[in-house]
Amino acid sequence: MSDSYQPPKVWKWESESGGKFASTNRPIAGSTHDKELPVGEHPFQLYSMATPNGVKVTIMFEELLALGHGGAEYDAWPIRIGDGDQFGSDFVAINPNSKIPALMDRSGGTPIRVFESGSILLHLAEKFGALIPKDPAKRVEVMNWLFWQMGSAPYLGGGFGHFYAYAPEKLEYPINRFAMETKRQLDVLDRQLADNAYIAGDEYSIADIAIYAWYGALVEGKLYDAAEFLSVQDYTHVQRWARSIAQRPAVKRGRMVNRFWGEPEEQLIERHAASDFETNTEDKRTD
């Protein structure tokens, strides 16, 4: 094509680009402003937003609490990435990559920063001895699928989601390229779930939590408004699995935390106690 883009010999950052989330993108790291983060009374301080990566961690906390691990109580503070909260000095000190979620584990003598959603899930699973098998072979299988998600979801989010839903113009090549890859990934999951109740076998685990936050939301029609485009109804085993996960009370709660958009009853902007969910529901009933 004669009018196709020709890259320069040396790329330079001359203006924002990236469509809807252009303000979150820049070619340099580090903080842009000083901003102190709030600290609550619980052992874990989570700074996040209810995107798929953030939802993984709030579901994990709610599942741990449902299992009776009272030491997993947490405060969840909203990070508004559209406002640039992730570039504040305190946030960058926790996560130098300026991405949500970011966690401070204050349960021991020395606070520990934990960033990257997969690392947070693994840290919590090991700390509480929950949602990860003790059997070595089963544990490895969970890890296989956890890292599958970490490697695959960027093609779904930054690839398909960006070009299909957020890019400033619709371009056939990248949409086709990443739609094909997303459907291939759904087929990988569908084949795995044809013979397994959960992603890594017969036990619910951090692999399910990680994958559900992205691919469960996708097949439920809650991601990029792309369910019809991708014919998600064809992935019957993924559909069955997603429905079963969605019915878990901890998952329902976790999806609400740090959400400040959508239907009011689906939002819990901050979370500091289990009673916050009840208060949130009561408040919505009186509105």
Side-chain angles (χ1 to χ4, degrees), residues 13-35:
W13 186 33
E14 297 179 343
S15 63
E16 284 187 352
S17 87
K20 182 176 180 180
F21 295 104
S23 64
T24 69
N25 301 322
R26 58 192 184 120
I28 55 176
S31 63
T32 60
H33 59 282
D34 291 332
K35 184 172 184 179

Side-chain angles (χ1 to χ4, degrees), residues 17-22 25 154-171 174-175 178 214 224:
S17 87
K20 182 176 180 180
F21 295 104
N25 301 322
Y155 290 96
L156 168 57
F160 174 75
H162 173 76
F163 286 104
Y164 181 77
Y166 302 136
E169 58 182 311
K170 304 296 184 186
L171 301 173
I175 290 175
F178 290 113
W214 280 98
Y224 309 129

Side-chain angles (χ1 to χ4, degrees), residues 98-146:
S98 293
K99 303 290 184 181
I100 62 95
L103 176 70
M104 285 301 297
D105 178 352
R106 298 174 178 270
S107 61
T110 302
I112 300 171
R113 73 176 188 180
V114 196
F115 62 91
E116 290 296 329
S117 57
S119 179
I120 296 173
L121 292 181
L122 184 57
H123 175 74
L124 294 173
E126 291 182 333
K127 189 175 188 73
F128 292 99
L131 298 169
I132 189 168
K134 293 180 172 61
D135 176 83
K138 292 181 179 180
R139 177 186 171 87
V140 168
E141 186 68 1
V142 167
M143 298 297 286
N144 288 342
W145 286 102
L146 176 63

Side-chain angles (χ1 to χ4, degrees), residues 44-48 58 74-78 257-258 268-272:
F44 297 95
Q45 299 297 304
L46 178 66
Y47 305 96
S48 191
T58 49
Y74 70 108
D75 293 285
W77 306 93
V257 179
N258 295 149
L268 187 63
I269 298 175
E270 294 183 9
R271 188 271 188 208
H272 304 291

